[in-house]
Every structure is written in structure tokens, then in C-alpha cells.
Amino acid sequence: MTTPELQNKAINTLRFLSADAVQKANSGHPGLPMGAAAMAFTIWTRHLRHSPRNPKWMGRDRFILSGGHGSALLYSLLHLSGYDLSLEQLQNFRQWGSLTPGHPEYGLTPGVEVTTGPLGQGFANGVGMAIAAAHLAAVFNKPGHELIDPFIYAIVTDGDLMEGGAAEAASLAGHLSLGKLIYLYDDNNISIDGSTDLAFTEDRAKRFEAYGWHIQRVDDGNDVDAIDSAIKAAKADPRPSLILCKTVIGFGSPNRQGTQKAHGEPLGDDELNAAKENLGWEKEPRFLIPEDVLAFYRQAVDRGRELEADWKMRREAYSRLFPDLGAEFNRRVLMNKLPADWEASLPTFPADAKGMATRAASGKVINAIAAKLPELIGGSADLAPSNNTKIEGVPAFQKESPAGRNFHFGVREHAMGSILNGMAVFGGVIPYGATFLVFADYMRAAIRLAALSHYPAIFIFTHDSVGLGEDGPTHQPVEHLTSLRLIPNLVVIRPADANETAQAWKVAISRRDGPTALAFTRQNVPTLDVGHASGLSRGAYVLKDFGDPEIILMASGSEVSLALEAAQKLAEEGKGVRVVSFPSWELFEKQDEAYRESVLPKNIQKRLAVEAGSSLGWERYASSVIGIERFGASAPAKVIFEKLGFTVENVVAKAKAL
Amino acid sequence: MTTPELQNKAINTLRFLSADAVQKANSGHPGLPMGAAAMAFTIWTRHLRHSPRNPKWMGRDRFILSGGHGSALLYSLLHLSGYDLSLEQLQNFRQWGSLTPGHPEYGLTPGVEVTTGPLGQGFANGVGMAIAAAHLAAVFNKPGHELIDPFIYAIVTDGDLMEGGAAEAASLAGHLSLGKLIYLYDDNNISIDGSTDLAFTEDRAKRFEAYGWHIQRVDDGNDVDAIDSAIKAAKADPRPSLILCKTVIGFGSPNRQGTQKAHGEPLGDDELNAAKENLGWEKEPRFLIPEDVLAFYRQAVDRGRELEADWKMRREAYSRLFPDLGAEFNRRVLMNKLPADWEASLPTFPADAKGMATRAASGKVINAIAAKLPELIGGSADLAPSNNTKIEGVPAFQKESPAGRNFHFGVREHAMGSILNGMAVFGGVIPYGATFLVFADYMRAAIRLAALSHYPAIFIFTHDSVGLGEDGPTHQPVEHLTSLRLIPNLVVIRPADANETAQAWKVAISRRDGPTALAFTRQNVPTLDVGHASGLSRGAYVLKDFGDPEIILMASGSEVSLALEAAQKLAEEGKGVRVVSFPSWELFEKQDEAYRESVLPKNIQKRLAVEAGSSLGWERYASSVIGIERFGASAPAKVIFEKLGFTVENVVAKAKAL
């Protein structure tokens, strides 16, 4: 049982642990923790089902601090609730090697569900989690046996609500009626420039109503009972819920509360002391945690164990009643393990000079492996017929058909990226999402976060060069392959033909500790002999040697067959030429020195790279590059390739000039 | 005078010119032109004030086809109205070298106001135009002398309304009450995946009401009089207007209208003929333009001349009454010319070992030149105090103070980018917008379009490396400098100190044919001797030679002073070292061979580049690079730099190892 006094102390503990951490680091954001402490308290002590000693317990609810700058609040909650995050870590806030970085990082800190900080991302990640949960519930739950039934709680901020990516996600969440979403809006009227009156005067409640959300208001964001009632009502409503809580940024700080001065800098010792005095808190010691407060929060540990035990019992009962589903649940959701024989379903394609577009091959691969991999789900940002992402014979994921596996993200690339991240981190599904490669720019922030956070999302990018033709330079990627390769921990693969496409999917599906970007052509490319394609997993491999090589032609994607043709011509003229198919820099860099030397021997320095994109970076492997250093043009693909030098003649000439 | 028959013919001419162009190209989008023809007709023949023989006439209204995939409609309108766009060009739709590319490109085709195609961009560009217009009107217009008074018309689509960037722009437009915006929504219930019921069921009207827009509905998007009335009401309303027009995609095509099949592929000859029969149109010849229809549309030429003549008269009267303002209007708005002596206002900074952050220097530069350059206006995506973008002593741009020069874009990076583009292309202003460099990812699509379209927008990116410290990897750019350098026609400048910062601003302000990205530090850097800084305009220059150089150390931004220190150490050990400050690859590449050789002589091959970002690409200039190939970390800047090898010791060691 809690008393009003203990409750108040417990909330102030959150405020001042956070403010003390910021003060000690001399860096950080005290305003959100102090203003939103009561909201967090209400969620964490009255609603959140979690198990601090087993942060990954699958039956838990999820909590997202979308305003990741308030990280000290989250770390305080984690420490107090009994997660494996010591007080020392809080005291090392924002220091090298600590588990308490400036913004929460998934994978680093136990209990952090997603990486947040870049605004809007956490908001949209939650939508992805709710989608994954709804899907898994539809697949696995049975009446009376609800193994997957989480609420997704978030604290969202003015910044989140201003971000377009979050707006896209909110619209989709309303469309899908994701009733498990319960977002508390820290409505404090302050952003960094000052009052939200400066730039953000829209009627937020009405906007979210227009999206189809359930709206409630809490006039005093420190009123725990009011917040509690609103959360209860939100749980009962079938729509996603936004609870607008009027708060005071930096609550308690006598000279800064309610102003942007409270947002992003330490209060300073004097103001921190004044705030403590103001709220009846001991000034010293810093990082004070009253014993009764700690004991109160730490109840979460036992409560969590009980929740877990209960869930385990229910899961065992489920497995007895539904042994096949139980085994599948075990494999897919609990162990995140691929079926042993899934790779056997990967198709191969006979050699064929006419060939097919790699996007078409990708569509065939998806459909070939979909039956073996029920966890494979995904779709497109309203380009499904162009991206070839549809799984045939299964319904769309919709409000009425949450077991559906085909996703209609709408023309919402940014939200799609963030939603894929949320789906991937939830587990039990392998999500993919597609758009044209040029529109990777719209979702780049989400791709980066996937890489930083090791989310195993699969990003499909079709129409991967000027070879898309007539749509012109607004739709033709040029710099995009290289700009994706620049993102650390993102694996980018641009397969040369249908058989490499199957191998690219094999890599992407197998890669469970980070994101993969797949680049596919719009236009047909010849299908090469399948025997070679397994080399793709090593990033680059010798596709063919013509004689004793004195020249290496290396290429990726649609330019591989061009390089082959050119090599044939050069061979006819008596040159020794090696053709290297080079679908992935990142995979090649992971190979050992001996392998890399075997593909690109130091003694062959005449090396020409051919790729219909920026040449930057190919210098690492080649002595000369045929690339594109300009925007594309609107014309049939064949014409563009000719005009930009992607012809057999030009490759031959450039190779001879080496 | 027009009759209902002629009107109908005129609308069908738009439909079939467009469909014929798509058919001949065997590529393109007939659905939008056929469905939205009546909307376009109403705007263009009943409202749009323009002068086809002088597309750049400053007194004109603006028209944006935000759904740029319907380009054939725009080209048809331009040809029919008498712009310098021949029927031959329409017949060469989507062919190499034509003026009729797949999506409208600004600068290529007379009368195309902005490049569109990537969805949401045109929508947000219009908001930027309305902002520029409101500002210039506040600065120049006098009662009875409204020189700047344009309406900004747009046709926007489902895709535009789903995009988050457009949502951000719409919220800001409502906040600012940009009453000159009149957007007609082509509400056809279809997107590429199929019915909008699949993903887009929000209440659009209500959402825009929540933003503060004026909402009207037209139940039949072919009803010219109803559209006309709605536009009249929109003009009279002080809020931005959205007119939801119910249309039928591919209207007239008996087997495809109202379905996604009409959207993005040629109808085929049979269906095209069937559509013509259906609407009572001659099947042959293709590209039929009835004489009376042409004569009707071509009235725009004389009407435009009259409008122009009237405006010229009014402008001359204005100049007589307000000679100073008139001269300024002439310089700034009509000629887009910088004041002759503006460069004299650029500050210099004394050498100072403690120095200052280049973001702080940038703030000082902005304020030093602002008085001389009244056209310099801008702001930040809610990071003004961190981006140092505020012009002191002038108000914010708000509904009540449109003459204000400080912009609060809100946490809306993507919209900010697109709005800057719209402001820049409107003319009479030099707009800048700022955020942290890592959040360039949020606005990358807009930056790319600026580069493609040669919009002279200035993008300010502060906190330009891991040197921002404690905020951690979510906020620390690593790959961003290089990924921006990859965008063709974007000039990226990362100045080394306060004096280079002033020179960087000089380049950015002077560059009127394309965008510039400026990267500034959060942390202090020493201010070097001002004498060198003018070398910045050449992209790279010899900052200092220690003895007879055998080694070159090159660096940008905050790493230049590090390189200098290391060179000093090496010199003390008897090495000859050259330090090259290398703030901009693009500017350096524009220099002639002789200059480049003078800075980086071929006979000095021991070259080490130092930059706190991806090393990719520095291989072009250096034989070795100290860069960053991982995500950053949360810690004080000094610690991060040490851990990642940005120390004098490491630079010295790496230089010696060359």
C-alpha cells in the first residue's frame, strides 16, 4: 500500500535523482524528468507489467520514453525498479563506457526498449510494436489463452508531435485501430525556442481525433489519480489513446520551471538546491533515495516474478492444449530462431540471357520462402506493385485481419522505417518494408537508428539506379547506394541477378543483429549461372576469369552483366580479365585478408569498377571507376545508360586505358 | 466568353493531350491529368494571374502541381496557355533532352515553379512561397500599393497528404495563417496499392481544421462552377485553404477510371480510344487541339501582358512615391542582386588560442551582415539557441509580424528544408534554416531537391561531429558530412575557425545558383590568423608550411587546429610538414589543375587526412585517413576525441608511419 506522502516522495525521488544525475554530469535535460515524473510514476507503479530481473520477458508491456532527452528519468525508473542498473551508473550519467548515455540506447541498458532521442522515432517505434503484437496475438492467441497481450505505453513530447514521421505513424495507428497504444503527451507548452505559441498552435487533440484516436485530457499532470483513471479508460477503449497531460517543465525549480531554461541544461547547484527546498527535499546527499521509496519501487521485482510465473504457467497450459502452436511460439517468439530447413525453400533460377528484374526475382524469393517463414511479414510505402513485395495468397494486415502478412504503410516512408524498427525489436516477426531507392532519403533517420540499435529490419529499395528510366532525376538514385554504405553497421546488398537476389535474401533473413538494405533493379538483367551466386555472402567474388587476369572488372547489380560482356570483348582481343561481382562492401570487409587477396590480388592493380551511382569510395578497391557524378535524366533506360557511359564499348575503352 | 461546350472541350483537351503524351512515351501517369483536368482548368483560366511570355514576372500567382507524376497535365497547360513549350516537346514527353521530363523540373521548363514528384515537397514548397510573399509584402507593400500579393495555388494528392513533411508544413501554415495558400486536393480515393481504404482513412478535413485551415468540399471534381466558387471563398478567407474535390482518377477511361490501373501506366491504344469515344473525342489525330480551344487558352498571353503592364505601372507609381523602397525592391526582388558593398560587413576575428565555436562565430557573422542584407532571413527547427541563428533586434516572423526575420520552424526539419526551398525559389529573400548535423537525415529529401533544382537555400548544421559530446551517438553525426558531399551540386563547407566561418558565409550568400550546407562545431576551436581564411573560397589551401614539406596534413573544421599542433610537433622533430585547411571538397574540385597541384603537389605523396567523420572519399586526396568508422559515444568531447584517436600524439604517430 502506498500513502499520499510516500507517493509524493517516490515522485520527487524520480525528479531529483534525474536532476542530480544531470547536475553531476554537468550536461543533460532536467526539465522533462521533473515535469513528467508523476506520469512515469503512474505508468510504472500502477500499470506497467514487467519483470525487472528479466527485462526480455516476452509477456511484458512495453514502455517508451519517446522524448529520449529525458533519459535520466528512465534510468532512475530502471534503477529504482530493480533492473540491473546500479546507482553508480546513474552517477556516471553521460560518461564514457557507462550504461547511462545521453539518450537511451537499445541493447546497451537493460530495460531500454528502443533507442530514442531523435524526435518522433519512439512514437513510431511504438506503433510498430503494437502492430507486431496485434499480428502475433492473431496468430497465436486462443480464447482464454492470451499469451501476447501487451500494452505499449509511451511518454511523448511536443517535439514528437511536431515531427512528420510521428504524424504518419499516428495516422496509420488510427487506421489500424491499434488499441494497445497508450501514449501520454507531456503537454508542457515549452520547446527549445520557447513557448509552443511560437510555432505549434494546432489543436493536437482534434488532429488525433481526426486520425481515429481516443482522446483524453488530464488538466494537472501531477495528479496521479487522474492519470491513473485516464490510463484505465484508455485500456478499455479499442482505439489508440492519447492522453494530453498538462505539465510544467522543470516542475519544482522555482526560477526555471515552465520555461525553456529548464529544458536542456543543468539547473546549477543553487537552483537545484532551491528546487529541493521548494519541494521539501533534503539538499544532501545528492542521489538520495529514501529507504521506503526504494522498497516501494522494488516491489516491481517480486510482482514481475509473479507475472512471469503466471505467464509461464499459462504458456505451458497453452502448449499442452495446442502443441504445434506452442512449439512454433517457442521457436519463433521466444527463441527467435529460424526453422532449421528454411534455406531449402530458397529458389534458384536457370541462366537466361533475357533474365528478369531483380525486384521481380525478389518477389519470387519472398513468395518461395514465405510458407516456410511465417514470421516474414512486410509491405511497401504504397508501391507494392512496383516493389514486388506482396506475399500471394495471404490477406493484408488490417484492423479486421491482423493475421494478415501484407502491409500497406501508405505513402509514409519515414514512419514505415520507424515502424519496421519497432516490429523488429518486438520480436517474433521478420519485417520488411519497401520503397524506391531514391526515397531512402525520406526514411534515413530510421535506417540510421536501426543500424545504431542493431534492429534486424529489412529495407527493400527497388528502382535502384538511373536504369529506372523515364521517371527522371527526381526518382533516380545516384548517391544513395554510397550514402547507405556510409552508415555503420548497415549491410547494403545490390545483387546482380535473380540468383544473387535469392542469396541476398538469405543473408538478410539470417542477419538477426542488424539491418540489411537490399537494392533491386527496375529493369531486366540477365540471369547468370546459379553456381556462382553463393559467393554473394562474402560480399565480392570471382564471377569469371577470362585467361590469366591482368585486369579486374568489378561491378554490382545491373552492371555485372555489362562487365561480363565487356570482359568477353576484351578476352576476344587477347586480354586476360577477371570479373568480380561485388554486391556488398560490408560483407566483403568482414572476410579475412586471405580471401580478399584471392579476389583482388595485390599484383593486379589494373582495376575498373562499374556501378551506376556515385563513384566515391570505389577508389578503395579500384584504380578507375565508371560511375555517375551528376543527377540522372528522364529518358528510356537504354538511352540514359548510353549517354552516361554504361556501354560495353565504354567499359572496354576504359579498361584498355588502365 | 466561354460556352459550356467549349469549356468541356477545353478540359478534354487537357485530358487527352496528357494521355496521348503518356501513350506515345509508353510511360507515365494518365490518371491524375484525366481526373484533375477540371480543377486545373478552373485555376488556370479563371484565377491564375500569370504571363506566359514572361514566366518570371514577379507579380504573378504561383501554381504547383504537387503530385508531379501528373506532369503531362502541367505541360499541356503550359503549351496551351502560350508558354515557350512547343507541341513537339509534349510529343517528346519523357525523352532524353526534352523539356518535358517525367516529373516537372524547375529551371528546365518555362513555367514550372518548383520541381515536384517526391511527394509532399510541392505542398511544403508552396508554404515557403507563401511565407516569402507575406514577408516581402510586409516589407514593401504600402496601402493601395500591393506589389507583392500572389496566391499560391496547388493541386495536392493523397500521397502529399500522407507524407509527414507536408503535415509539418501544413501545421506551420495554419499557425502562421498563410491565407494566400489555396490548395485543391485531388481526392480520388486511389493510391498505387489500391483504394485509400487500405491505409488512409483519417478524416483529412478535420485534421486540416485542427491545423487552422479553412476547409471546403466540392462533391464533383468536374464541376467547374463549384470549384470556382470554392476558390473565390478561399481567396476571401484569411486562413490557408484546402478544397477537397472528389474526383475520379483516369476520368473517362471506361475500364480503368476509379482504379489504381489508371494511375501510373499508359492506357494502351485500345483503352485510350475507348476513353476518347466515351468522352466524345476524336480518336485521331493524337495530340488533337481544337482551334477554338487553343484560342481560348491562348487568351492567357494577352491577359498576362495586360496584368504585367498594369503591375509595371503600379510599380512605377510606387517607385515615384517611395523612391528608396522602390530602388530596394528593384535590387532585391526584381534583380535578385546583392548590395554592392555587403562584403564589407563581414567580420574578422583576432587570433585567439581559446577561440570560439564556429556555431558562435556563425551567429556573429549573421548578425554582422544582417543589417546590410535585409533579404537574409531564417531560423531553426526549434534549436535557435543551439544553432546560433537568431538575428538580434528584429522580431520573429509571425502572423502578426510578417516583417520579422527570425523563423520558428518548430521541430519540423523536413518541412523546414522544403519551406526554405520554396522561399529561395520565390526570390527577394535569402533564406537559411538550421538544425543539428545529425538531423540532416530528416530533411535529406529536401536538400537533394534543392541541389537538383538549383535553389539557393542555405542549410546550417551545427554540432557537426562527435565533438558535441554527452548527447551521444543518437545526436553525433559520423557519416553525414560525406553523405552530404555525395549530393551533386550541393556545396558543403566545414570551416576551421571563426575567420573561415565568415568566409563560408561569404560563399553561401554569393552562391545564388544552388544550395550550400554549412557545418559548424558545438565546441570551441582556436581562432587562427585571419590572413589565411580567404583561401576558403578555393575549397582547400595551404594554411602553413613547416620547413620543406615532405608530409601533408589535411583537415577540415575542428580538426584543423589539431593538425596544426601535430605539424608543430613534427617540425620540432625535424620533419617538413604542410598543413592544408580543407573546408570544402566541392569548391576545391572547381579549381584549376594548377591551383590544385600547388596545394597538393604530386611529389608529396605522404598525405594524412584528419576529419572527425567517415573517412570514405578522403582517399582521393590522402594516402591515409584518421576518421571514424563507427557510431559515436556519450561522453565529454575531450574524452571521445581521445578514445577515437583525435589527439596530437595519434596524428603525429600516423604521420610518421606514412
Side-chain angles (χ1 to χ4, degrees), chain B residues 151-162:
Chain B
F151 286 102
I152 317 293
Y153 297 99
I155 292 179
V156 303
T157 64
D158 286 304
D160 291 304
L161 263 54
M162 280 190 264

Side-chain angles (χ1 to χ4, degrees), chain B residues 427-617:
Chain B
V429 294
I430 300 180
Y432 63 84
T435 185
F436 291 162
L437 178 55
V438 78
F439 299 134
D441 284 354
Y442 276 75
M443 53 192 288
R444 191 168 167 88
I447 299 170
R448 182 176 210 257
L449 272 180
L452 172 58
S453 311
H454 297 264
Y455 304 140
I458 300 174
F459 303 108
I460 300 177
F461 297 118
T462 72
H463 296 57
D464 73 348
S465 79
V466 295
L468 65 85
E470 290 90 343
D471 269 351
T474 55
H475 285 56
Q476 289 166 348
V478 168
E479 70 277 21
H480 298 76
L481 286 168
T482 312
S483 77
L484 290 173
R485 288 171 183 145
L486 280 167
I487 300 177
N489 196 37
L490 177 66
V491 168
V492 182
I493 312 178
R494 185 173 187 242
D497 74 341
N499 286 309
E500 278 199 10
T501 298
Q503 294 300 311
W505 268 104
K506 182 175 159 186
V507 170
I509 297 282
S510 306
R511 178 167 155 80
R512 296 292 87 212
D513 61 349
T516 306
L518 303 174
F520 297 129
T521 67
R522 173 186 187 229
Q523 74 277 20
N524 281 357
V525 291
T527 304
L528 309 173
D529 187 340
V530 64
H532 304 289
S534 66
L536 176 134
S537 66
R538 310 194 79 165
Y541 63 96
V542 179
L543 184 61
K544 190 160 182 180
D545 277 342
F546 294 82
D548 193 14
E550 49 186 314
I551 299 171
I552 298 175
L553 298 183
M554 60 187 84
S556 81
S558 44
E559 287 67 70
V560 171
S561 45
L562 174 62
L564 264 181
E565 270 192 81
Q568 180 70 45
K569 275 264 166 40
L570 288 162
E572 284 162 12
E573 298 179 28
K575 305 276 184 194
V577 186
R578 163 169 293 186
V579 177
V580 170
S581 179
F582 208 146
S584 174
W585 291 6
E586 299 82 13
L587 296 177
F588 186 62
E589 292 299 331
K590 286 180 188 168
Q591 306 308 311
D592 61 25
E593 174 63 27
Y595 178 77
R596 284 182 284 137
E597 171 68 17
S598 76
V599 177
L600 302 176
K602 281 190 195 61
N603 65 351
I604 311 180
Q605 282 301 321
K606 291 183 179 176
R607 300 172 178 188
L608 177 62
V610 188
E611 187 175 69
S614 306
S615 62
L616 197 84

Side-chain angles (χ1 to χ4, degrees), chain A residues 36 91 120 150 200 384 400 444 464 485 513 567 570 585 606 639:
Chain A
Q91 290 164 337
F200 189 43
E400 308 78 15
R444 191 168 167 87
D464 73 348
R485 289 172 182 144
D513 62 348
L570 288 162
W585 291 5
K606 292 182 178 178
V639 178

Side-chain angles (χ1 to χ4, degrees), chain B residues 290-545:
Chain B
E291 270 181 41
D292 51 350
V293 167
L294 187 63
F296 173 73
Y297 277 113
R298 285 283 159 93
Q299 293 169 21
V301 173
D302 284 342
R303 205 164 49 228
R305 286 202 181 104
E306 286 160 26
L307 287 167
E308 251 194 286
D310 172 65
W311 190 76
K312 183 156 176 278
M313 229 165 58
R314 289 191 288 129
R315 188 166 56 75
E316 287 165 357
Y318 175 91
S319 288
R320 281 191 300 276
L321 279 166
F322 313 103
D324 290 352
L325 269 177
E328 182 70 353
F329 187 84
N330 207 36
R331 173 191 77 77
R332 177 174 160 186
V333 182
L334 297 185
M335 304 174 65
N336 265 301
K337 219 177 124 180
L338 295 169
D341 55 345
W342 81 272
E343 292 179 12
S345 65
L346 282 164
T348 57
F349 300 85
D352 174 14
K354 181 168 171 283
M356 69 176 87
T358 52
R359 64 173 170 144
S362 170
K364 288 179 191 294
V365 174
I366 289 172
N367 277 284
I369 63 180
K372 264 287 173 206
L373 285 175
E375 56 264 60
L376 185 67
I377 63 179
S380 161
D382 195 45
L383 288 169
S386 297
N387 298 144
N388 299 65
T389 45
K390 191 176 173 195
I391 303 175
E392 299 297 337
V394 299
F397 178 92
Q398 293 288 1
K399 182 166 52 171
E400 308 79 13
S401 53
R405 295 168 63 186
N406 287 305
F407 284 73
H408 297 285
F409 292 105
V411 188
R412 303 183 180 105
E413 299 84 5
H414 193 166
M416 177 173 72
S418 311
I419 286 170
L420 290 175
N421 290 348
M423 292 164 76
V425 78
F426 191 89
V429 294
I430 300 180
Y432 63 84
T435 185
F436 291 162
L437 178 55
V438 78
F439 299 134
D441 284 354
Y442 276 75
M443 53 192 288
R444 191 168 167 88
I447 299 170
R448 182 176 210 257
L449 272 180
L452 172 58
S453 311
H454 297 264
Y455 304 140
I458 300 174
F459 303 108
I460 300 177
F461 297 118
T462 72
H463 296 57
D464 73 348
S465 79
V466 295
L468 65 85
E470 290 90 343
D471 269 351
T474 55
H475 285 56
Q476 289 166 348
V478 168
E479 70 277 21
H480 298 76
L481 286 168
T482 312
S483 77
L484 290 173
R485 288 171 183 145
L486 280 167
I487 300 177
N489 196 37
L490 177 66
V491 168
V492 182
I493 312 178
R494 185 173 187 242
D497 74 341
N499 286 309
E500 278 199 10
T501 298
Q503 294 300 311
W505 268 104
K506 182 175 159 186
V507 170
I509 297 282
S510 306
R511 178 167 155 80
R512 296 292 87 212
D513 61 349
T516 306
L518 303 174
F520 297 129
T521 67
R522 173 186 187 229
Q523 74 277 20
N524 281 357
V525 291
T527 304
L528 309 173
D529 187 340
V530 64
H532 304 289
S534 66
L536 176 134
S537 66
R538 310 194 79 165
Y541 63 96
V542 179
L543 184 61
K544 190 160 182 180
D545 277 342

Side-chain angles (χ1 to χ4, degrees), chain B residues 109-325:
Chain B
T109 315
V112 168
E113 298 281 9
V114 279
T115 302
T116 53
L119 290 167
Q121 300 297 336
F123 185 114
N125 293 157
V127 174
M129 290 177 175
I131 285 173
H135 179 75
L136 291 173
V139 170
F140 289 106
N141 287 357
K142 294 287 179 189
H145 297 270
E146 280 79 25
L147 294 184
I148 298 285
D149 196 28
F151 286 102
I152 317 293
Y153 297 99
I155 292 179
V156 303
T157 64
D158 286 304
D160 291 304
L161 263 54
M162 280 190 264
E163 285 287 359
E168 293 172 3
S171 177
L172 189 60
H175 168 76
L176 295 170
S177 204
L178 299 171
K180 295 292 185 176
L181 287 178
I182 300 178
Y183 282 12
L184 277 67
Y185 165 34
D186 181 26
D187 185 5
N188 63 25
N189 286 88
I190 291 293
S191 67
I192 292 175
D193 274 10
S195 163
T196 49
D197 288 347
L198 292 172
F200 188 44
T201 52
E202 60 167 59
D203 184 338
R204 289 81 127 165
K206 188 170 179 175
R207 170 157 68 99
F208 276 77
E209 270 175 17
Y211 293 141
W213 286 52
H214 168 233
I215 306 299
Q216 299 177 83
R217 291 174 196 275
V218 171
D219 292 334
D220 175 3
N222 284 328
D223 183 341
V224 169
D225 290 333
I227 298 168
D228 184 46
S229 297
I231 294 176
K232 283 177 181 149
K235 286 177 168 174
D237 196 282
R239 295 166 293 177
S241 282
L242 186 73
I243 304 172
L244 296 90
C245 302
K246 270 285 165 208
T247 57
V248 176
I249 191 170
F251 181 83
S253 162
N255 301 300
R256 297 199 171 184
Q257 70 177 9
T259 76
Q260 68 268 32
K261 287 282 285 178
H263 167 77
E265 51 186 301
L267 294 178
D269 279 319
D270 291 350
E271 182 66 13
L272 180 53
N273 286 336
K276 288 183 175 180
E277 201 172 310
N278 189 27
L279 296 185
W281 201 252
E282 297 294 325
K283 290 178 196 164
E284 297 288 344
R286 299 307 204 205
F287 297 95
L288 171 68
I289 302 173
E291 270 181 41
D292 51 350
V293 167
L294 187 63
F296 173 73
Y297 277 113
R298 285 283 159 93
Q299 293 169 21
V301 173
D302 284 342
R303 205 164 49 228
R305 286 202 181 104
E306 286 160 26
L307 287 167
E308 251 194 286
D310 172 65
W311 190 76
K312 183 156 176 278
M313 229 165 58
R314 289 191 288 129
R315 188 166 56 75
E316 287 165 357
Y318 175 91
S319 288
R320 281 191 300 276
L321 279 166
F322 313 103
D324 290 352
L325 269 177

